[in-house]
Amino acid sequence: MQYRLVPKNGDTLSALGFGAMRLPSKRMGIDEERATQQIRSAIDSGVNYIDTAVPYHSGESERFLGRALKDGYREKVKLATKLPPWGVKTREDMDRILDIQLKKLQTDHIDYYLLHSLDANHWKKMHGLGVLEFLDAAKASGKIINAGFSFHGDRKTFKEIIDAYDWIFCQIQYNFLDEMNQAGTEGLQYAASKNIAVMVMEPLRGGMLAGKLPKDVEEIYDRAKTKRSAAEWALRWVWNHPEVTVVLSGMNDEKHIAENIKACETALPGSMSTGELATVKAVAAVYNRLIKVGCTGCAYCMPCPFGVNIPQNFFIYNSYHMGGSRLFTRGMYGISLMGAMGTKADASLCQNCGKCAKACPQKIAIPEELRKVRGTLGGLRTKLMIPLVKMIFSAEIKE
């Protein structure tokens, strides 16, 4: 296993982390026997960073990990979970939720604790409620060891958050299609320049970069001198960046877990050749041709006076048309309709004022494109998901 250093605390973490968001399922729940075997086998192979959060598997992921990490496995890993902004209304809620998480996870401390899914709105809310003071108190009590945050906003907000506190780490979405989206390469390098460890989520773009591939992408990989699976190409591209500390993979298949562990052993920073990087660049160009809206996520169009998260709309809309699971992408839109990722990504809120289009550096006809988003993702199938989304994200967080 390859390990990378956390600059501020000296921890050596496996460059491959186990994400507990997409565990194997059985009868609408977690297949506990199989998932436990997978996690323990990965730990035995050197994986020492496990990531979860309150809403994963409808609230059961943390409780499952509390059981799966028994028999000495808890002591072998650094455990990460997250404080959900949508569940916080008061400063006291932060302490209450953390205590519930500790009980579910059957541990007396969280090694790596994140503020979940920050963007400008969530950051403003949590900062105003005293979340930085909460983190200081939780660290002083020993309930959390290292403080960080996960991010789904614009680069300006990302830098603002980075500069606001002595973070040990952060977590960003990053892959060869998201160099300019959300925190992007600029954010990755900015965090690293502050000696902040960077954990990467969605290296495969929700499975898009490893599932059913466009024909042109398959042909590019087939022509490459080095033969790899699409997943390995995408993971190696992320690991190639020296600023990356851990790459999280939502693994749920024994074969894929073994492949990822094997690839991680040799996917050192700067190890990809010029030809290999050219292959990935050519693949990215194919995907980019499939993009419906040329939005870079710069957020110059924000804030929308009517509450539309414009970049998030276009990110989900583009993902829907670029391959992978359309059900998963529709689910992302349903989650965003609830505001669980900050400002609501509800295209139907657009009032065609045109303010956003005037501010857009890419000269996108934003109101017109939002109508297309609404037509594609705002239908009955998405609405049918809302009750489940409400249950997961709106209910009080209880033991």
Side-chain angles (χ1 to χ4, degrees), residues 14-20 22 47 49-52 56 80 82 114 150 169-172 174 198-204 235 238-239 244-251 260:
S14 54
L16 175 65
F18 202 117
R22 301 184 179 102
V47 172
Y49 189 88
I50 310 292
D51 173 89
T52 186
Y56 295 174
K82 309 172 184 76
L114 303 92
S150 67
F169 71 116
C170 65
Q171 186 168 306
I172 65 172
Y174 194 61
V198 180
M199 285 46 169
V200 168
M201 57 183 158
E202 301 295 356
L204 304 180
L235 289 170
V238 181
W239 277 318
V244 171
T245 307
V246 173
V247 176
L248 292 168
S249 179
M251 302 179 284
N260 291 351

Side-chain angles (χ1 to χ4, degrees), residues 179-242:
E179 290 190 87
M180 294 296 294
N181 288 326
Q182 300 183 22
T185 301
E186 183 180 340
L188 170 69
Q189 294 174 346
Y190 189 76
S193 75
K194 305 285 185 176
N195 288 323
I196 295 172
V198 180
M199 285 46 169
V200 168
M201 57 183 158
E202 301 295 356
L204 304 180
R205 258 290 188 100
M208 177 195 302
L209 303 181
K212 183 179 180 181
L213 305 178
K215 181 180 178 181
D216 289 351
V217 168
E218 287 184 340
E219 291 177 351
I220 292 169
Y221 283 143
D222 288 343
R223 290 197 301 268
K225 292 181 179 179
T226 305
K227 303 305 176 186
R228 296 176 177 140
S229 68
E232 183 174 347
W233 277 105
L235 289 170
R236 281 183 175 272
W237 184 89
V238 181
W239 277 318
N240 198 58
H241 293 76

Side-chain angles (χ1 to χ4, degrees), residues 53-203:
V54 169
Y56 295 174
H57 285 279
S58 301
E60 289 302 310
S61 179
E62 289 178 325
R63 206 186 310 273
F64 159 74
L65 282 177
R67 296 186 289 267
L69 294 177
K70 289 182 176 180
D71 303 325
Y73 280 89
R74 171 68 183 93
E75 291 71 31
K76 296 179 180 181
V77 301
K78 301 297 184 182
L79 185 58
T81 193
K82 309 172 184 76
L83 177 68
W86 53 88
V88 174
K89 295 181 176 63
T90 66
R91 166 67 179 80
E92 291 71 28
D93 282 341
M94 302 175 196
D95 296 295
R96 177 181 62 84
I97 292 170
L98 174 57
D99 287 341
I100 291 172
Q101 291 175 295
L102 290 168
K103 186 174 182 179
K104 285 182 175 180
L105 289 162
Q106 301 186 39
T107 187
D108 62 358
H109 70 280
I110 308 297
D111 300 291
Y112 285 79
Y113 197 64
L114 303 92
L115 309 184
H116 198 174
S117 192
L118 292 187
D119 69 353
N121 280 26
H122 276 158
W123 171 240
K124 181 180 179 180
K125 170 189 173 181
M126 297 297 282
H127 190 272
L129 289 174
V131 75
L132 299 185
E133 292 76 14
F134 158 75
L135 292 175
D136 285 340
K139 286 191 294 183
S141 71
K143 292 182 178 180
I144 69 173
I145 309 302
N146 303 290
F149 64 95
S150 67
F151 189 76
H152 285 292
D154 61 89
R155 285 183 288 282
K156 179 181 177 183
T157 302
F158 180 77
K159 291 182 179 180
E160 177 186 335
I161 298 172
I162 286 286
D163 293 339
Y165 189 71
D166 185 21
W167 307 103
I168 300 298
F169 71 116
C170 65
Q171 186 168 306
I172 65 172
Q173 176 165 318
Y174 194 61
N175 53 69
F176 63 70
L177 291 185
D178 286 329
E179 290 190 87
M180 294 296 294
N181 288 326
Q182 300 183 22
T185 301
E186 183 180 340
L188 170 69
Q189 294 174 346
Y190 189 76
S193 75
K194 305 285 185 176
N195 288 323
I196 295 172
V198 180
M199 285 46 169
V200 168
M201 57 183 158
E202 301 295 356

Side-chain angles (χ1 to χ4, degrees), residues 242-307:
E243 301 90 350
V244 171
T245 307
V246 173
V247 176
L248 292 168
S249 179
M251 302 179 284
N252 56 24
D253 179 273
E254 289 77 6
K255 180 181 177 181
H256 296 161
I257 294 169
E259 288 177 350
N260 291 351
I261 290 172
K262 183 178 180 181
C264 184
E265 293 174 356
T266 57
L268 304 176
S271 62
M272 293 188 78
S273 69
T274 301
E276 290 172 331
L277 290 173
T279 293
V280 175
K281 186 176 181 179
V283 168
V286 172
Y287 280 110
N288 285 327
R289 286 203 306 269
L290 299 175
I291 287 176
K292 294 292 184 179
V293 184
C295 174
T296 66
C298 70
Y300 283 102
C301 58
M302 296 289 285
C304 167
F306 302 100

